Amino acid sequence: MEKEDLKVLNKGEEEEMELQGYRLCRWRLALVGLGVLCTGGFLLLLLYWMPEWCVKSTCTRTTARDAEVVLLRSTDEFRRWFLARVRVMLAPGSNPFHSLETQTTSPSSPSSPSCPFSSPASPPLANGHTPHPSDGSPAQELISRFADYQPTQIRYFTFHSTKYYWNDEVQNFEVLTGLEDLQVSCSTLHSEHSTGLTRNQQEYRRLFFGVNEIAVKVPSVFKLLIKEVLNPFYIFQLFSVILWSADEYYYYAVAIVFMSVISIATSLYTIKKQYVMLHDMVAAHSIVRVSVCRANNDIEEILSTDLVPGDVIVIPSNGTIMPCDAVLVSGTCIVNESMLTGESVPVTKTNLPNPGPGERGEEAYSAYNTEEHKRHTLFCGTNVIQTRFYTGELVKAVVVRTGFSTAKGQLVRSILYPKPTDFKLYRDAYLFLLCLVAVAGIGFVYSIVLSIMNKVPAKTIIIESLDIITITVPPALPAAMTAGIVYAQRRLKRIGIFCISPQRINICGQINLVCFDKTGTLTEDGLDLWGVQRVENGSFHLSEENAYKENLVKSQFVACMATCHSLTKIEGQLSGDPLDLKMFEATGWILEEATEEETSLHNRIMPTVVRPPKQLLPPEPAVSPEQDMELYELSSAYEIGIVRQFPFSSALQRMSVVARLLGEKRMDAYMKGAPEVVAGLCKKETVPENFAEVLEGYTKQGFRVIALAHRRLESKLTWHKVQNINRDHIEANMEFLGLIIMQNKLKPETPGVLQDLHRANIRTVMVTGDNMLTAISVARDCGMIPPQDTVIIADAIPPHDGQAAKITWRYADKPTKTSRLEEVNISLEDVCHVDEPKTQELYHFAMNGKSFAVIAEHFPDMLQKLVLHGTVFARMAPDQKTQLIEALQGVDYFVGMCGDGANDCGALKRAHGGISLSELEASVASPFTSRTPNISCVPSLIREGRAALITSFCVFKFMALYSIIQYISVTLLYSILSNLGDFQFLFIDIAIILLIVFTMSLNPAWKELVSRRPPSGLISGPLLFSVLTQILICLGFQTITFLWVRQQPWYTVWMPLTDVCNLTSHINVSDHNDTEIDDHNIQNFENTSLFYVSCFQYLIVAIVFSKGKPFRQPSYKNWPFVVSAVSLYIFLLFIMFHPIESIDEFLEIVCVPFDWRLKLFFIILVNAAVSVLVEGVIDLRGYKCLSRLCCPRKMMPKARYMHLAQELSVDPDWPPKPTTTTEAKPRPENGSTYQIMINS
């Protein structure tokens, strides 16, 4: 049963989890209660930290259907545990989409398939549940209203702001997202869901979907405090404080409490601030008044919180902020989606197509999907700027999702419940702490044995042995570790990079591959029109510079340029896609939109009208004054009205419009899009024979090419039919009009930045939605692909007609003279044999989205080899960009992604470091947002990341050594039953450690990126070696001091009246102090000598570990650190050579002869010299020597991509040989290439 009843929630999604059912067990609860009492509450803490132990110790296993508690475990690499209480609510029905009015009242069993979300018809509350009170009241009300329905028990649990309901059909818990659960087709949405719901239906659905709001509850300070204080680290602090107090180290205990309070207060402040910020961001527009259409055609105003999926809302003409996700069923809207995508260009949303019964294409029957139909969907949180509507018909939208299921809700959830960032540094930090605890364990045993031998009382033995453990785990560690990140975040903010997840800054220091979007990131956002090439009678004209000519003004080519776009006027300004703007401006035409008043005068929507300026129209004959002026104006007017738009879709790679010339009966359809797509939808005879060559000629030079097409529509297509027709009927049998050639210039910073990244051995990859050859050309122009390198294009064909899927390899031409293919082959063959390692730099793979999908599905092993040298990925859909990033991470790359945020959201989030170039301060789309609109922010981020990472290492090494040095001092003093004094601990921890740690982290990043990467974890050879050698050096010098002081001729066991300084005025120790000394035996020569030496050791180690080049600016440029270190040195030397009575008394130091002070100074100097020397040697020679010591044989690389590269460098069949020179020719059979396919 264990295995069989393991349910999987959200299968195949990002939040996939395993679920096990449990029910409470009374006797186990009683046992645990007893355990909690016996351990003084510690067991309760343990169960709080370990949810799985909590459930397993208090519950027994049962089926998921009968569970009272569910135990969830994420299936990702973190395998985190969560628990949730199952609740029960009573409702009049079991499926939110059943209409209560039409539901039969026959006593059908609630668990029958028609009621999937119900529980078995058990007597109410049979299994010890009480109905959830907050859901109870509205449900009770509804039940009483529908008294003839049998109330159904519905079981659910809430996890991460999502409700999971038990579904009897699938025997599992499921999420109710909204209308999409019904798999409604587009035509059904129009026929069945566009009339609205009755009030009863709305209330019934609200039981299941809940209130429509994205509620970010700001936790009370008390709640946050409890959560923060119950962190294992603070519990350890509390333990330390109790222990120090028991040992009468009151001042030190107070200092630790003070530090903890400050640390907790700052972290509470930042957490609370983030919650408040998020709450304000979400709440700003979450509750608005909306007009809802009721089933009987009434319009009612309600609060947006009452909306449920299936409601029909009216979008006001002056715009609104969307309170939910809804699909437009009538009218059009202009929407600003910058909240979602970071892109501030307004988008036009059209109504969902509703083809008539006779002309239903695939689209009518395909299920509605927010992603697929996003051009018809208004997303929650986006701003509707204005609407266009028909008279008598309102702009209506059907609510699809509400609350946390909406696009905005998902974004907010991803911020509220982020995935933990898995980074070696943090895992290693825990391992390191465990090592320290192990070291402490040795000291623990040692002190117990020693105390027993010296017959010390039991209480003292316990306290002093536990003391050792608290010394080894430094209390200021978490604060110290975050300091570096906080400073880095501040420096990034200064250069215009904002960060919403600071933990990722460290990970950015590891990035060794960066993916770039092309348009707007590597190249300028806008395109410039380079020229046009028209087609007449199936052949190309010569290319012309522009279309702004009198003889062309009435041509279909110009009409297409003027109408086929989604531009709109907002406050008198043309706005829309930059490409559309450039194309329209090139015609010189004028766009006019109907005002609201005009629209209401006519009985149908007033189309947007475009017309050429007067000066371009051919001159008309002169007018006699008798002629009617108005008639003349009408006859001479040349205007085109845009009747219907089919917006651009990245999946279809085209857009089209239906337009009508003033005075014409028949309408025209115009289309623009990717040349390959447009040519495929045109009549064969209208596409020139040399189309492929001409297109290739342009794309190879890096131009962005757009094709235009046109078709006269049949006269039977009336205005009303056009409004509901499917775009597939319009976009067929077109006539090819020609090409528009746009130039997408590189941003001036791009080549320089890419060169810097290459120099630093950081791979660069281009991921774009553009044409492949254009992308390859841009990659060559900006230096991503060096001129001498070969580009291999992988064309994958999915399996069809019983044939297996296959990949055709072809070599793209080099930009210089095109060499013949055989030569390319031979040269590659030669290189392979002559110089193995070099082949890696000689070829790059390029592929488009379709091929990527086929390869990912049918050649998963091949995909890993391809991403190793894949440089250009063209025509990639947004989800494919995310898959590519996952594939790169799958071979152990640390991936950075830089895009403009519009359709890269998924990829930006998935990458280790995603930067969106956006105006917004914090784009929710990615962890980092850069105000500078070019890629120069990428090296800056990586440099800061490296500096923050090295700072973390420095701080960690320093903190580890600090605790070990203190541990050595205390252990040595324990051997003579002594210890460090209260104020000595205080001086070391506050004056030395805190000051040094917080100023040590202030080194800014180094000016340029170097080719070496910092180590990713603490457990790396050189790092550990460095720490171990320093520990040994400190141990050696402290031991020498400890033994040497006892060899001195003047040495005696120190007593309050001992005077070896020959000073007349010696400290008079009071009787009270006498008892103190007897108690702790702090004042003695060993203690004083070790105190001096260890204080200097902290400073020596701080300077030795504070690394500058190549990742940070040198330490002498960090003036706060220099000032702190120098002042501490001066102070320590001063009190050593010039004792001041009050300070000595305060620090419980005794007076020693001057010659011994000189000897101590000598020990300190030698210690410093040895430490600096050893660390220098490790820095210079450490890597090589250690790798030789650890693995004399050739070491297997750790990262998978290195491993693969080694394998491929000796593979004779790699890279694949070219089999065909162009796509058009049929692919010749080639055994060896097929061989590769089969093996992969």
Side-chain angles (χ1 to χ4, degrees), residues 509-522:
Q510 281 298 310
I511 286 176
N512 53 2
L513 181 147
V514 186
C515 296
F516 291 100
D517 180 37
K518 182 178 80 72
T519 315
T521 305
L522 296 172

Side-chain angles (χ1 to χ4, degrees), residues 47 187 204 237 871 967 1096:
L47 297 182
S187 47
Y204 171 56
Q237 301 270 55
T871 303
Y967 168 75
F1096 278 106

Side-chain angles (χ1 to χ4, degrees), residues 175-315:
V175 182
L176 289 177
T177 48
L179 266 192
E180 285 169 286
D181 297 339
L182 284 177
Q183 299 277 306
V184 258
S185 65
C186 297
S187 47
T188 319
L189 246 171
H190 276 280
S191 56
E192 292 174 23
H193 295 278
S194 58
T195 48
L197 303 174
T198 62
R199 220 172 274 161
N200 284 345
Q201 281 174 319
Q202 191 190 37
E203 282 178 34
Y204 171 56
R205 281 192 192 180
R206 202 161 53 244
L207 284 180
F208 292 88
F209 292 105
V211 177
N212 170 35
E213 68 174 330
I214 302 164
V216 178
K217 292 190 179 73
V218 179
S220 64
V221 176
F222 181 70
K223 252 188 188 169
L224 282 175
L225 180 70
I226 296 297
K227 203 174 169 188
E228 189 70 18
V229 170
L230 293 183
N231 177 338
F233 193 80
Y234 289 119
I235 297 295
F236 180 76
Q237 301 270 55
L238 184 71
F239 166 71
S240 308
V241 168
I242 294 168
L243 203 74
W244 293 110
S245 306
D247 207 7
E248 292 168 16
Y249 281 80
Y250 299 118
Y251 291 104
Y252 187 49
V254 168
I256 290 185
V257 169
F258 182 66
M259 269 159 52
S260 302
V261 166
I262 287 180
S263 157
I264 290 173
T266 49
S267 93
L268 279 190
Y269 172 73
T270 50
I271 294 170
K272 179 97 176 169
K273 193 170 143 196
Q274 278 172 340
Y275 268 114
V276 170
M277 227 173 75
L278 189 62
H279 176 267
D280 294 350
M281 184 185 103
V282 173
H285 310 286
S286 63
I287 300 175
V288 290
R289 294 199 75 81
V290 284
S291 302
V292 176
C293 300
R294 289 276 170 240
N296 48 6
N297 279 338
D298 283 353
I299 286 182
E300 183 187 333
E301 252 204 20
I302 60 167
L303 280 176
S304 60
T305 45
D306 294 340
L307 290 173
V308 293
D311 266 326
V312 175
I313 55 173
V314 178
I315 311 288

Side-chain angles (χ1 to χ4, degrees), residues 117-163:
F117 288 100
S118 61
S119 232
S122 54
L125 324 184
N127 29 17
H129 290 268
T130 50
H132 187 216
S134 68
D135 291 310
S137 49
Q140 293 300 328
E141 203 180 297
L142 266 175
I143 288 169
S144 59
R145 203 178 301 166
F146 298 98
D148 36 351
Y149 299 113
Q150 180 181 359
T152 313
Q153 270 197 20
I154 291 163
R155 313 168 66 82
Y156 69 95
F157 67 87
T158 309
F159 173 71
H160 281 182
S161 303
T162 307
K163 277 187 181 175

Side-chain angles (χ1 to χ4, degrees), residues 527 529 531-535 540 556-565 579-580 583 648 652-657 669-683 686-688 691-692 694-696 698-699 703-711 727 731 734-742 770-771 774 875:
L527 294 149
L529 186 80
V532 296
Q533 192 151 11
R534 293 182 299 123
V535 168
F540 278 114
Q556 295 292 3
F557 188 88
V558 172
C560 185
M561 283 175 75
T563 54
C564 198
H565 53 68
L579 182 143
D580 287 354
M583 182 181 79
F648 175 77
L652 301 173
Q653 296 177 358
R654 61 177 187 265
M655 81 160 285
S656 53
V657 293
Y670 294 104
M671 171 166 74
K672 79 165 195 290
E676 311 86 32
V677 175
V678 172
L681 295 169
C682 289
K683 296 177 191 157
T686 64
V687 181
F691 166 75
V694 171
L695 176 63
E696 202 169 315
Y698 285 124
T699 50
F703 290 119
R704 171 101 178 255
V705 184
I706 288 154
L708 305 182
H710 157 258
R711 162 176 158 216
R727 72 189 287 174
E731 297 169 343
M734 310 282 275
E735 287 176 21
F736 193 76
L737 291 178
L739 305 172
I740 295 182
I741 299 103
M742 312 287 268
D770 206 345
N771 171 296
T774 306
R875 294 269 184 250

Side-chain angles (χ1 to χ4, degrees), residues 474-545:
L477 189 66
M481 291 292 279
T482 47
I485 296 176
V486 172
Y487 295 146
Q489 194 176 355
R490 219 179 283 159
R491 285 196 297 269
L492 284 171
K493 199 168 181 175
R494 240 175 273 146
I495 53 172
I497 299 173
F498 300 93
C499 166
I500 59 169
S501 73
Q503 293 303 334
R504 292 212 187 207
I505 297 177
N506 269 341
I507 303 175
C508 289
Q510 281 298 310
I511 286 176
N512 53 2
L513 181 147
V514 186
C515 296
F516 291 100
D517 180 37
K518 182 178 80 72
T519 315
T521 305
L522 296 172
T523 59
E524 295 286 0
D525 222 342
L527 294 149
D528 297 321
L529 186 80
W530 178 85
V532 296
Q533 192 151 11
R534 293 182 299 123
V535 168
E536 267 178 32
N537 307 327
S539 61
F540 278 114
H541 279 251
L542 289 174
S543 61
E544 300 155 273
E545 205 168 302

